[in-house]
Amino acid sequence: METGLSEDQSLPDLIPWLQIVQAKVLSSQDVELMISTKIPPVSTLQLHLKLDEQMVAKDTVSAINVIVLAHEMSV
């Protein structure tokens, strides 16, 4: 998943789909992603993303969670 340009330099430009554990709506344009880190100790990281005004958080979160669930079911 591409995060795009951000003022937050700690935010990666690209988040591999397989590292996304869950997405959650914070507001109509804000999303929180739970990311699994591969760096020991393995843990989860929370990222807050502001969406482009053309995107709706509810729809984006639904799409992300469907992709995550589909991958879990295929393993």
Side-chain angles (χ1 to χ4, degrees):
M1 177 174 175
E2 188 173 347
T3 59
L5 298 174
S6 172
E7 293 177 11
D8 184 355
Q9 298 299 324
S10 67
L11 189 63
D13 293 334
L14 192 64
I15 300 168
W17 283 106
L18 298 181
Q19 285 186 260
I20 300 174
V21 176
Q22 183 181 24
K24 168 169 105 171
V25 175
L26 296 178
S27 73
S28 63
Q29 293 301 120
D30 295 301
V31 170
E32 177 182 86
L33 294 180
M34 297 292 288
I35 308 296
S36 173
T37 62
K38 303 288 186 194
I39 303 165
V42 176
S43 63
T44 56
L45 175 59
Q46 293 178 335
L47 295 178
H48 294 245
L49 304 174
K50 181 119 181 114
L51 299 176
D52 180 297
E53 64 266 356
Q54 297 175 346
M55 298 178 78
V56 177
K58 179 181 70 159
D59 296 338
T60 302
V61 164
S62 292
I64 291 169
N65 286 331
V66 164
I67 291 168
V68 169
L69 180 62
H71 175 263
E72 287 176 2
M73 292 176 68
S74 71
V75 177

Short mmCIF file of all heavy atoms in Angstrom, two decimals:
data_model
loop_
_atom_site.label_atom_id
_atom_site.label_comp_id
_atom_site.label_asym_id
_atom_site.label_seq_id
_atom_site.Cartn_x
_atom_site.Cartn_y
_atom_site.Cartn_z
N MET A 1 0.86 -1.16 0.00
CA MET A 1 0.00 0.00 0.00
C MET A 1 0.90 1.22 0.00
O MET A 1 1.80 1.33 0.83
CB MET A 1 -0.89 -0.03 1.24
CG MET A 1 -1.78 1.15 1.37
SD MET A 1 -2.91 0.92 2.77
CE MET A 1 -3.67 2.50 2.74
N GLU A 2 0.68 2.14 -0.92
CA GLU A 2 1.48 3.34 -1.01
C GLU A 2 0.90 4.41 -0.10
O GLU A 2 -0.30 4.67 -0.11
CB GLU A 2 1.50 3.85 -2.45
CG GLU A 2 2.47 4.98 -2.67
CD GLU A 2 2.58 5.35 -4.14
OE1 GLU A 2 2.11 4.59 -4.99
OE2 GLU A 2 3.13 6.41 -4.40
N THR A 3 1.76 5.03 0.73
CA THR A 3 1.29 6.05 1.65
C THR A 3 1.35 7.44 1.06
O THR A 3 0.74 8.36 1.56
CB THR A 3 2.09 6.03 2.97
OG1 THR A 3 3.47 6.26 2.68
CG2 THR A 3 1.89 4.73 3.70
N GLY A 4 2.12 7.64 -0.01
CA GLY A 4 2.21 8.94 -0.66
C GLY A 4 3.12 9.89 0.09
O GLY A 4 3.80 9.52 1.04
N LEU A 5 3.11 11.14 -0.33
CA LEU A 5 3.95 12.15 0.30
C LEU A 5 3.38 12.53 1.65
O LEU A 5 2.19 12.70 1.81
CB LEU A 5 4.04 13.39 -0.59
CG LEU A 5 4.66 13.17 -1.97
CD1 LEU A 5 4.55 14.45 -2.79
CD2 LEU A 5 6.11 12.74 -1.84
N SER A 6 4.26 12.67 2.64
CA SER A 6 3.83 13.01 3.98
C SER A 6 4.88 13.90 4.64
O SER A 6 6.07 13.79 4.36
CB SER A 6 3.66 11.72 4.80
OG SER A 6 3.42 12.04 6.15
N GLU A 7 4.40 14.77 5.53
CA GLU A 7 5.33 15.59 6.30
C GLU A 7 6.04 14.75 7.36
O GLU A 7 7.10 15.11 7.84
CB GLU A 7 4.57 16.74 6.95
CG GLU A 7 4.02 17.73 5.95
CD GLU A 7 3.20 18.82 6.61
OE1 GLU A 7 3.22 18.93 7.85
OE2 GLU A 7 2.53 19.57 5.88
N ASP A 8 5.44 13.63 7.74
CA ASP A 8 6.02 12.73 8.73
C ASP A 8 7.08 11.87 8.06
O ASP A 8 6.77 10.94 7.34
CB ASP A 8 4.92 11.86 9.34
CG ASP A 8 5.41 10.95 10.45
OD1 ASP A 8 6.64 10.92 10.70
OD2 ASP A 8 4.58 10.28 11.07
N GLN A 9 8.35 12.19 8.31
CA GLN A 9 9.46 11.48 7.68
C GLN A 9 9.61 10.04 8.18
O GLN A 9 10.25 9.22 7.53
CB GLN A 9 10.77 12.24 7.89
CG GLN A 9 10.77 13.63 7.27
CD GLN A 9 10.57 13.61 5.78
OE1 GLN A 9 11.05 12.72 5.09
NE2 GLN A 9 9.84 14.58 5.25
N SER A 10 9.01 9.70 9.33
CA SER A 10 9.12 8.34 9.85
C SER A 10 8.15 7.39 9.16
O SER A 10 8.26 6.18 9.28
CB SER A 10 8.87 8.33 11.36
OG SER A 10 7.51 8.67 11.64
N LEU A 11 7.18 7.93 8.44
CA LEU A 11 6.19 7.12 7.74
C LEU A 11 6.80 6.54 6.47
O LEU A 11 7.32 7.27 5.65
CB LEU A 11 4.98 7.98 7.40
CG LEU A 11 3.75 7.28 6.85
CD1 LEU A 11 3.18 6.31 7.87
CD2 LEU A 11 2.70 8.32 6.48
N PRO A 12 6.75 5.22 6.29
CA PRO A 12 7.31 4.62 5.07
C PRO A 12 6.50 5.01 3.84
O PRO A 12 5.31 5.29 3.94
CB PRO A 12 7.22 3.12 5.34
CG PRO A 12 6.17 2.97 6.37
CD PRO A 12 6.16 4.24 7.18
N ASP A 13 7.14 5.03 2.67
CA ASP A 13 6.45 5.35 1.42
C ASP A 13 5.60 4.20 0.94
O ASP A 13 4.64 4.39 0.22
CB ASP A 13 7.47 5.69 0.32
CG ASP A 13 8.22 6.97 0.61
OD1 ASP A 13 7.68 7.83 1.33
OD2 ASP A 13 9.34 7.11 0.12
N LEU A 14 5.98 2.99 1.34
CA LEU A 14 5.29 1.79 0.88
C LEU A 14 5.16 0.81 2.04
O LEU A 14 6.14 0.53 2.72
CB LEU A 14 6.09 1.16 -0.27
CG LEU A 14 5.43 0.07 -1.06
CD1 LEU A 14 4.21 0.60 -1.81
CD2 LEU A 14 6.41 -0.50 -2.07
N ILE A 15 3.96 0.33 2.26
CA ILE A 15 3.72 -0.66 3.32
C ILE A 15 3.28 -1.95 2.64
O ILE A 15 2.26 -1.99 1.95
CB ILE A 15 2.60 -0.20 4.28
CG1 ILE A 15 2.99 1.13 4.93
CG2 ILE A 15 2.33 -1.26 5.34
CD1 ILE A 15 1.85 1.80 5.67
N PRO A 16 4.06 -3.04 2.80
CA PRO A 16 3.67 -4.31 2.19
C PRO A 16 2.32 -4.79 2.74
O PRO A 16 2.08 -4.75 3.94
CB PRO A 16 4.80 -5.26 2.60
CG PRO A 16 5.94 -4.37 2.94
CD PRO A 16 5.34 -3.11 3.49
N TRP A 17 1.43 -5.24 1.85
CA TRP A 17 0.11 -5.70 2.26
C TRP A 17 0.19 -6.77 3.34
O TRP A 17 -0.63 -6.81 4.25
CB TRP A 17 -0.66 -6.27 1.06
CG TRP A 17 -1.22 -5.20 0.18
CD1 TRP A 17 -0.75 -4.83 -1.05
CD2 TRP A 17 -2.32 -4.34 0.45
NE1 TRP A 17 -1.50 -3.80 -1.56
CE2 TRP A 17 -2.47 -3.48 -0.65
CE3 TRP A 17 -3.19 -4.21 1.52
CZ2 TRP A 17 -3.46 -2.51 -0.73
CZ3 TRP A 17 -4.19 -3.24 1.44
CH2 TRP A 17 -4.31 -2.41 0.34
N LEU A 18 1.19 -7.65 3.23
CA LEU A 18 1.29 -8.76 4.19
C LEU A 18 1.66 -8.30 5.59
O LEU A 18 1.55 -9.08 6.54
CB LEU A 18 2.29 -9.80 3.69
CG LEU A 18 1.94 -10.45 2.36
CD1 LEU A 18 2.99 -11.48 1.97
CD2 LEU A 18 0.56 -11.08 2.41
N GLN A 19 2.08 -7.06 5.76
CA GLN A 19 2.40 -6.54 7.09
C GLN A 19 1.21 -5.85 7.75
O GLN A 19 1.24 -5.58 8.93
CB GLN A 19 3.57 -5.56 7.01
CG GLN A 19 4.91 -6.25 6.82
CD GLN A 19 6.04 -5.26 6.89
OE1 GLN A 19 6.56 -4.85 5.88
NE2 GLN A 19 6.39 -4.87 8.10
N ILE A 20 0.15 -5.59 6.99
CA ILE A 20 -1.03 -4.94 7.56
C ILE A 20 -1.86 -5.99 8.29
O ILE A 20 -2.27 -6.98 7.71
CB ILE A 20 -1.86 -4.24 6.47
CG1 ILE A 20 -1.02 -3.16 5.78
CG2 ILE A 20 -3.13 -3.63 7.08
CD1 ILE A 20 -1.69 -2.51 4.59
N VAL A 21 -2.10 -5.75 9.56
CA VAL A 21 -2.87 -6.66 10.40
C VAL A 21 -4.34 -6.25 10.41
O VAL A 21 -5.23 -7.09 10.32
CB VAL A 21 -2.31 -6.68 11.84
CG1 VAL A 21 -3.15 -7.56 12.74
CG2 VAL A 21 -0.86 -7.11 11.85
N GLN A 22 -4.59 -4.94 10.51
CA GLN A 22 -5.96 -4.45 10.59
C GLN A 22 -5.97 -2.96 10.28
O GLN A 22 -4.99 -2.26 10.52
CB GLN A 22 -6.53 -4.69 11.99
CG GLN A 22 -7.96 -4.27 12.17
CD GLN A 22 -8.46 -4.50 13.57
OE1 GLN A 22 -7.69 -4.56 14.51
NE2 GLN A 22 -9.75 -4.64 13.71
N ALA A 23 -7.11 -2.48 9.79
CA ALA A 23 -7.31 -1.05 9.56
C ALA A 23 -8.55 -0.62 10.33
O ALA A 23 -9.47 -1.41 10.57
CB ALA A 23 -7.49 -0.78 8.07
N LYS A 24 -8.55 0.65 10.73
CA LYS A 24 -9.66 1.17 11.53
C LYS A 24 -9.93 2.62 11.13
O LYS A 24 -9.01 3.37 10.85
CB LYS A 24 -9.26 1.03 13.00
CG LYS A 24 -10.11 1.74 14.00
CD LYS A 24 -9.74 1.30 15.41
CE LYS A 24 -8.94 2.35 16.11
NZ LYS A 24 -8.74 2.05 17.53
N VAL A 25 -11.20 3.02 11.10
CA VAL A 25 -11.59 4.39 10.78
C VAL A 25 -11.42 5.26 12.02
O VAL A 25 -11.90 4.91 13.10
CB VAL A 25 -13.07 4.44 10.32
CG1 VAL A 25 -13.52 5.88 10.11
CG2 VAL A 25 -13.28 3.63 9.07
N LEU A 26 -10.72 6.38 11.85
CA LEU A 26 -10.60 7.35 12.94
C LEU A 26 -11.56 8.52 12.72
O LEU A 26 -12.13 9.05 13.66
CB LEU A 26 -9.16 7.86 13.05
CG LEU A 26 -8.11 6.82 13.42
CD1 LEU A 26 -6.73 7.44 13.44
CD2 LEU A 26 -8.43 6.18 14.76
N SER A 27 -11.70 8.95 11.48
CA SER A 27 -12.65 9.99 11.08
C SER A 27 -12.92 9.80 9.59
O SER A 27 -12.40 8.87 8.98
CB SER A 27 -12.10 11.38 11.37
OG SER A 27 -11.08 11.72 10.45
N SER A 28 -13.68 10.69 8.99
CA SER A 28 -14.04 10.51 7.58
C SER A 28 -12.84 10.53 6.65
O SER A 28 -12.91 9.98 5.55
CB SER A 28 -15.04 11.58 7.16
OG SER A 28 -14.45 12.86 7.26
N GLN A 29 -11.73 11.12 7.05
CA GLN A 29 -10.53 11.18 6.20
C GLN A 29 -9.29 10.60 6.87
O GLN A 29 -8.20 10.68 6.32
CB GLN A 29 -10.23 12.63 5.79
CG GLN A 29 -11.26 13.25 4.86
CD GLN A 29 -11.44 12.50 3.57
OE1 GLN A 29 -12.52 12.04 3.30
NE2 GLN A 29 -10.42 12.35 2.78
N ASP A 30 -9.44 10.04 8.07
CA ASP A 30 -8.30 9.50 8.80
C ASP A 30 -8.46 8.01 9.07
O ASP A 30 -9.53 7.55 9.46
CB ASP A 30 -8.11 10.23 10.14
CG ASP A 30 -7.76 11.68 9.94
OD1 ASP A 30 -6.72 11.95 9.30
OD2 ASP A 30 -8.52 12.55 10.40
N VAL A 31 -7.35 7.28 8.88
CA VAL A 31 -7.33 5.83 9.04
C VAL A 31 -6.15 5.45 9.93
O VAL A 31 -5.11 6.09 9.90
CB VAL A 31 -7.15 5.16 7.64
CG1 VAL A 31 -6.89 3.69 7.76
CG2 VAL A 31 -8.37 5.42 6.78
N GLU A 32 -6.35 4.42 10.73
CA GLU A 32 -5.26 3.86 11.53
C GLU A 32 -4.98 2.47 11.01
O GLU A 32 -5.89 1.67 10.82
CB GLU A 32 -5.66 3.79 13.00
CG GLU A 32 -4.60 3.14 13.88
CD GLU A 32 -5.05 3.04 15.31
OE1 GLU A 32 -5.73 2.04 15.63
OE2 GLU A 32 -4.75 3.95 16.09
N LEU A 33 -3.70 2.18 10.74
CA LEU A 33 -3.28 0.85 10.31
C LEU A 33 -2.48 0.20 11.42
O LEU A 33 -1.60 0.84 12.01
CB LEU A 33 -2.41 0.93 9.06
CG LEU A 33 -3.03 1.43 7.78
CD1 LEU A 33 -2.00 1.43 6.67
CD2 LEU A 33 -4.23 0.61 7.39
N MET A 34 -2.77 -1.06 11.70
CA MET A 34 -1.96 -1.86 12.61
C MET A 34 -1.01 -2.64 11.71
O MET A 34 -1.45 -3.42 10.87
CB MET A 34 -2.82 -2.81 13.43
CG MET A 34 -3.80 -2.13 14.35
SD MET A 34 -3.00 -1.26 15.69
CE MET A 34 -2.47 -2.62 16.68
N ILE A 35 0.29 -2.41 11.90
CA ILE A 35 1.31 -3.02 11.06
C ILE A 35 2.13 -4.00 11.90
O ILE A 35 2.56 -3.67 13.00
CB ILE A 35 2.27 -1.94 10.49
CG1 ILE A 35 1.49 -0.83 9.80
CG2 ILE A 35 3.31 -2.54 9.58
CD1 ILE A 35 0.73 -1.25 8.59
N SER A 36 2.36 -5.19 11.37
CA SER A 36 3.22 -6.17 12.01
C SER A 36 4.65 -5.88 11.59
O SER A 36 4.95 -5.79 10.40
CB SER A 36 2.82 -7.58 11.56
OG SER A 36 3.74 -8.52 12.05
N THR A 37 5.52 -5.73 12.57
CA THR A 37 6.93 -5.50 12.26
C THR A 37 7.67 -6.82 12.25
O THR A 37 7.40 -7.71 13.05
CB THR A 37 7.59 -4.55 13.28
OG1 THR A 37 7.55 -5.14 14.57
CG2 THR A 37 6.89 -3.20 13.33
N LYS A 38 8.60 -6.95 11.34
CA LYS A 38 9.39 -8.18 11.22
C LYS A 38 10.68 -8.09 12.03
O LYS A 38 11.39 -9.07 12.19
CB LYS A 38 9.75 -8.43 9.75
CG LYS A 38 8.54 -8.51 8.85
CD LYS A 38 7.78 -9.78 9.07
CE LYS A 38 6.66 -9.89 8.07
NZ LYS A 38 5.69 -10.87 8.37
N ILE A 39 10.97 -6.90 12.52
CA ILE A 39 12.21 -6.69 13.25
C ILE A 39 12.04 -7.20 14.68
O ILE A 39 11.09 -6.80 15.36
CB ILE A 39 12.57 -5.19 13.27
CG1 ILE A 39 12.67 -4.66 11.85
CG2 ILE A 39 13.85 -4.93 14.05
CD1 ILE A 39 12.67 -3.15 11.75
N PRO A 40 12.93 -8.09 15.16
CA PRO A 40 12.80 -8.61 16.53
C PRO A 40 12.91 -7.49 17.55
O PRO A 40 13.70 -6.59 17.36
CB PRO A 40 13.97 -9.58 16.66
CG PRO A 40 14.38 -9.90 15.26
CD PRO A 40 14.01 -8.70 14.44
N PRO A 41 12.15 -7.50 18.61
CA PRO A 41 11.05 -8.43 18.85
C PRO A 41 9.88 -8.08 17.95
O PRO A 41 9.58 -6.92 17.73
CB PRO A 41 10.70 -8.20 20.32
CG PRO A 41 11.08 -6.78 20.58
CD PRO A 41 12.28 -6.51 19.70
N VAL A 42 9.22 -9.11 17.42
CA VAL A 42 8.08 -8.91 16.53
C VAL A 42 6.97 -8.23 17.33
O VAL A 42 6.64 -8.65 18.42
CB VAL A 42 7.59 -10.25 15.95
CG1 VAL A 42 6.36 -10.06 15.11
CG2 VAL A 42 8.70 -10.90 15.14
N SER A 43 6.45 -7.16 16.78
CA SER A 43 5.39 -6.43 17.47
C SER A 43 4.50 -5.76 16.43
O SER A 43 4.67 -5.95 15.23
CB SER A 43 6.00 -5.38 18.39
OG SER A 43 6.72 -4.42 17.63
N THR A 44 3.53 -5.00 16.89
CA THR A 44 2.69 -4.25 15.97
C THR A 44 2.93 -2.76 16.17
O THR A 44 3.29 -2.31 17.25
CB THR A 44 1.19 -4.55 16.18
OG1 THR A 44 0.85 -4.31 17.53
CG2 THR A 44 0.86 -5.97 15.80
N LEU A 45 2.73 -2.04 15.12
CA LEU A 45 2.97 -0.61 15.08
C LEU A 45 1.70 0.04 14.57
O LEU A 45 1.03 -0.48 13.69
CB LEU A 45 4.13 -0.38 14.11
CG LEU A 45 4.61 0.96 13.70
CD1 LEU A 45 5.06 1.79 14.88
CD2 LEU A 45 5.79 0.77 12.75
N GLN A 46 1.30 1.17 15.15
CA GLN A 46 0.12 1.88 14.71
C GLN A 46 0.53 3.06 13.85
O GLN A 46 1.36 3.88 14.27
CB GLN A 46 -0.70 2.38 15.89
CG GLN A 46 -1.31 1.28 16.71
CD GLN A 46 -2.06 1.83 17.90
OE1 GLN A 46 -1.79 2.92 18.37
NE2 GLN A 46 -3.01 1.06 18.40
N LEU A 47 -0.04 3.16 12.66
CA LEU A 47 0.22 4.29 11.76
C LEU A 47 -1.10 5.02 11.52
O LEU A 47 -2.12 4.40 11.24
CB LEU A 47 0.76 3.81 10.41
CG LEU A 47 2.13 3.14 10.41
CD1 LEU A 47 2.47 2.70 8.99
CD2 LEU A 47 3.19 4.09 10.93
N HIS A 48 -1.05 6.33 11.63
CA HIS A 48 -2.22 7.16 11.36
C HIS A 48 -2.01 7.83 10.01
O HIS A 48 -1.01 8.51 9.80
CB HIS A 48 -2.42 8.20 12.47
CG HIS A 48 -2.75 7.59 13.78
ND1 HIS A 48 -3.95 7.78 14.40
CD2 HIS A 48 -2.05 6.75 14.57
CE1 HIS A 48 -3.96 7.10 15.53
NE2 HIS A 48 -2.82 6.46 15.65
N LEU A 49 -2.95 7.62 9.10
CA LEU A 49 -2.86 8.17 7.76
C LEU A 49 -4.01 9.12 7.47
O LEU A 49 -5.15 8.83 7.82
CB LEU A 49 -2.89 7.05 6.72
CG LEU A 49 -1.85 5.95 6.85
CD1 LEU A 49 -2.14 4.85 5.84
CD2 LEU A 49 -0.47 6.51 6.65
N LYS A 50 -3.71 10.24 6.85
CA LYS A 50 -4.73 11.18 6.37
C LYS A 50 -4.95 10.86 4.90
O LYS A 50 -4.01 10.86 4.12
CB LYS A 50 -4.26 12.62 6.54
CG LYS A 50 -5.26 13.63 6.11
CD LYS A 50 -5.62 14.49 7.30
CE LYS A 50 -6.64 15.52 6.93
NZ LYS A 50 -7.88 15.28 7.62
N LEU A 51 -6.18 10.57 4.53
CA LEU A 51 -6.50 10.18 3.17
C LEU A 51 -6.66 11.39 2.25
O LEU A 51 -7.02 12.47 2.69
CB LEU A 51 -7.80 9.37 3.14
CG LEU A 51 -7.80 8.07 3.93
CD1 LEU A 51 -9.17 7.44 3.88
CD2 LEU A 51 -6.75 7.11 3.40
N ASP A 52 -6.42 11.15 0.98
CA ASP A 52 -6.71 12.12 -0.07
C ASP A 52 -8.21 12.45 0.02
O ASP A 52 -9.02 11.58 0.34
CB ASP A 52 -6.37 11.44 -1.41
CG ASP A 52 -6.62 12.32 -2.59
OD1 ASP A 52 -7.78 12.71 -2.81
OD2 ASP A 52 -5.64 12.62 -3.31
N GLU A 53 -8.58 13.69 -0.27
CA GLU A 53 -9.99 14.08 -0.13
C GLU A 53 -10.93 13.31 -1.04
O GLU A 53 -12.14 13.29 -0.82
CB GLU A 53 -10.18 15.59 -0.35
CG GLU A 53 -9.84 16.08 -1.71
CD GLU A 53 -8.42 16.60 -1.85
OE1 GLU A 53 -7.67 16.66 -0.87
OE2 GLU A 53 -8.05 16.91 -2.97
N GLN A 54 -10.42 12.62 -2.03
CA GLN A 54 -11.27 11.82 -2.92
C GLN A 54 -11.57 10.43 -2.33
O GLN A 54 -12.41 9.71 -2.86
CB GLN A 54 -10.60 11.66 -4.28
CG GLN A 54 -10.43 12.97 -5.00
CD GLN A 54 -9.66 12.83 -6.29
OE1 GLN A 54 -9.03 11.81 -6.53
NE2 GLN A 54 -9.71 13.85 -7.11
N MET A 55 -10.89 10.08 -1.25
CA MET A 55 -11.07 8.76 -0.66
C MET A 55 -11.92 8.88 0.61
O MET A 55 -11.84 9.87 1.33
CB MET A 55 -9.73 8.13 -0.33
CG MET A 55 -8.87 7.90 -1.55
SD MET A 55 -7.26 7.23 -1.13
CE MET A 55 -7.70 5.53 -0.87
N VAL A 56 -12.71 7.86 0.89
CA VAL A 56 -13.55 7.82 2.08
C VAL A 56 -12.96 6.76 3.02
O VAL A 56 -12.73 5.63 2.61
CB VAL A 56 -15.01 7.46 1.71
CG1 VAL A 56 -15.87 7.34 2.95
CG2 VAL A 56 -15.56 8.49 0.74
N ALA A 57 -12.72 7.14 4.26
CA ALA A 57 -12.07 6.25 5.22
C ALA A 57 -12.81 4.92 5.38
O ALA A 57 -12.20 3.86 5.39
CB ALA A 57 -11.91 6.94 6.57
N LYS A 58 -14.14 4.98 5.48
CA LYS A 58 -14.93 3.76 5.69
C LYS A 58 -14.71 2.76 4.56
O LYS A 58 -14.50 1.57 4.80
CB LYS A 58 -16.41 4.14 5.81
CG LYS A 58 -17.35 2.98 6.00
CD LYS A 58 -18.79 3.43 6.08
CE LYS A 58 -19.20 3.90 4.71
NZ LYS A 58 -20.60 3.94 4.43
N ASP A 59 -14.75 3.24 3.33
CA ASP A 59 -14.56 2.35 2.17
C ASP A 59 -13.12 1.84 2.09
O ASP A 59 -12.88 0.68 1.77
CB ASP A 59 -14.92 3.08 0.88
CG ASP A 59 -16.39 3.48 0.82
OD1 ASP A 59 -17.20 2.86 1.54
OD2 ASP A 59 -16.71 4.41 0.06
N THR A 60 -12.17 2.71 2.39
CA THR A 60 -10.75 2.33 2.34
C THR A 60 -10.46 1.25 3.39
O THR A 60 -9.81 0.25 3.09
CB THR A 60 -9.86 3.56 2.58
OG1 THR A 60 -10.16 4.54 1.58
CG2 THR A 60 -8.39 3.21 2.53
N VAL A 61 -10.95 1.44 4.60
CA VAL A 61 -10.74 0.47 5.68
C VAL A 61 -11.39 -0.86 5.33
O VAL A 61 -10.80 -1.92 5.54
CB VAL A 61 -11.26 1.03 7.02
CG1 VAL A 61 -11.40 -0.05 8.06
CG2 VAL A 61 -10.33 2.14 7.52
N SER A 62 -12.59 -0.83 4.78
CA SER A 62 -13.26 -2.08 4.37
C SER A 62 -12.43 -2.83 3.35
O SER A 62 -12.25 -4.05 3.46
CB SER A 62 -14.64 -1.78 3.79
OG SER A 62 -15.50 -1.30 4.78
N ALA A 63 -11.92 -2.13 2.36
CA ALA A 63 -11.10 -2.76 1.32
C ALA A 63 -9.83 -3.36 1.91
O ALA A 63 -9.44 -4.49 1.58
CB ALA A 63 -10.76 -1.76 0.22
N ILE A 64 -9.15 -2.62 2.77
CA ILE A 64 -7.91 -3.12 3.38
C ILE A 64 -8.20 -4.37 4.20
O ILE A 64 -7.50 -5.38 4.09
CB ILE A 64 -7.26 -2.03 4.27
CG1 ILE A 64 -6.72 -0.89 3.39
CG2 ILE A 64 -6.14 -2.63 5.14
CD1 ILE A 64 -6.30 0.34 4.17
N ASN A 65 -9.24 -4.33 5.03
CA ASN A 65 -9.54 -5.47 5.89
C ASN A 65 -9.96 -6.70 5.09
O ASN A 65 -9.66 -7.83 5.48
CB ASN A 65 -10.58 -5.10 6.94
CG ASN A 65 -9.98 -4.23 8.04
OD1 ASN A 65 -8.79 -4.31 8.34
ND2 ASN A 65 -10.79 -3.37 8.62
N VAL A 66 -10.62 -6.52 3.95
CA VAL A 66 -10.98 -7.65 3.09
C VAL A 66 -9.71 -8.29 2.52
O VAL A 66 -9.59 -9.51 2.48
CB VAL A 66 -11.94 -7.20 1.96
CG1 VAL A 66 -12.00 -8.23 0.85
CG2 VAL A 66 -13.31 -6.94 2.53
N ILE A 67 -8.76 -7.47 2.07
CA ILE A 67 -7.51 -8.00 1.53
C ILE A 67 -6.75 -8.77 2.61
O ILE A 67 -6.24 -9.86 2.37
CB ILE A 67 -6.65 -6.87 0.95
CG1 ILE A 67 -7.32 -6.31 -0.32
CG2 ILE A 67 -5.23 -7.34 0.63
CD1 ILE A 67 -6.72 -5.03 -0.83
N VAL A 68 -6.68 -8.21 3.82
CA VAL A 68 -5.97 -8.87 4.93
C VAL A 68 -6.65 -10.20 5.26
O VAL A 68 -5.99 -11.23 5.40
CB VAL A 68 -5.93 -7.95 6.17
CG1 VAL A 68 -5.45 -8.70 7.40
CG2 VAL A 68 -5.05 -6.74 5.90
N LEU A 69 -7.99 -10.21 5.35
CA LEU A 69 -8.73 -11.43 5.66
C LEU A 69 -8.56 -12.48 4.56
O LEU A 69 -8.35 -13.67 4.85
CB LEU A 69 -10.21 -11.12 5.87
CG LEU A 69 -11.10 -12.30 6.20
CD1 LEU A 69 -10.67 -12.96 7.50
CD2 LEU A 69 -12.55 -11.84 6.28
N ALA A 70 -8.61 -12.05 3.30
CA ALA A 70 -8.44 -12.99 2.19
C ALA A 70 -7.07 -13.65 2.24
O ALA A 70 -6.94 -14.85 2.00
CB ALA A 70 -8.63 -12.26 0.86
N HIS A 71 -6.05 -12.88 2.59
CA HIS A 71 -4.71 -13.47 2.69
C HIS A 71 -4.65 -14.47 3.84
O HIS A 71 -4.10 -15.55 3.70
CB HIS A 71 -3.65 -12.38 2.88
CG HIS A 71 -2.29 -12.97 3.09
ND1 HIS A 71 -1.77 -13.14 4.35
CD2 HIS A 71 -1.39 -13.47 2.22
CE1 HIS A 71 -0.58 -13.72 4.23
NE2 HIS A 71 -0.34 -13.93 2.95
N GLU A 72 -5.22 -14.12 4.99
CA GLU A 72 -5.20 -15.03 6.14
C GLU A 72 -5.91 -16.33 5.81
O GLU A 72 -5.47 -17.41 6.23
CB GLU A 72 -5.86 -14.37 7.35
CG GLU A 72 -5.04 -13.27 7.98
CD GLU A 72 -5.76 -12.56 9.11
OE1 GLU A 72 -6.91 -12.93 9.43
OE2 GLU A 72 -5.16 -11.62 9.66
N MET A 73 -6.99 -16.27 5.06
CA MET A 73 -7.76 -17.47 4.71
C MET A 73 -7.01 -18.33 3.68
O MET A 73 -7.22 -19.54 3.62
CB MET A 73 -9.13 -17.09 4.18
CG MET A 73 -10.01 -16.49 5.26
SD MET A 73 -11.60 -15.93 4.65
CE MET A 73 -12.36 -17.47 4.24
N SER A 74 -6.14 -17.71 2.90
CA SER A 74 -5.42 -18.47 1.86
C SER A 74 -4.18 -19.16 2.39
O SER A 74 -3.63 -20.02 1.73
CB SER A 74 -5.03 -17.54 0.72
OG SER A 74 -4.00 -16.66 1.11
N VAL A 75 -3.75 -18.81 3.59
CA VAL A 75 -2.52 -19.39 4.14
C VAL A 75 -2.82 -20.70 4.81
O VAL A 75 -3.79 -21.00 5.34
CB VAL A 75 -1.87 -18.42 5.16
CG1 VAL A 75 -0.65 -19.04 5.79
CG2 VAL A 75 -1.53 -17.13 4.48
#
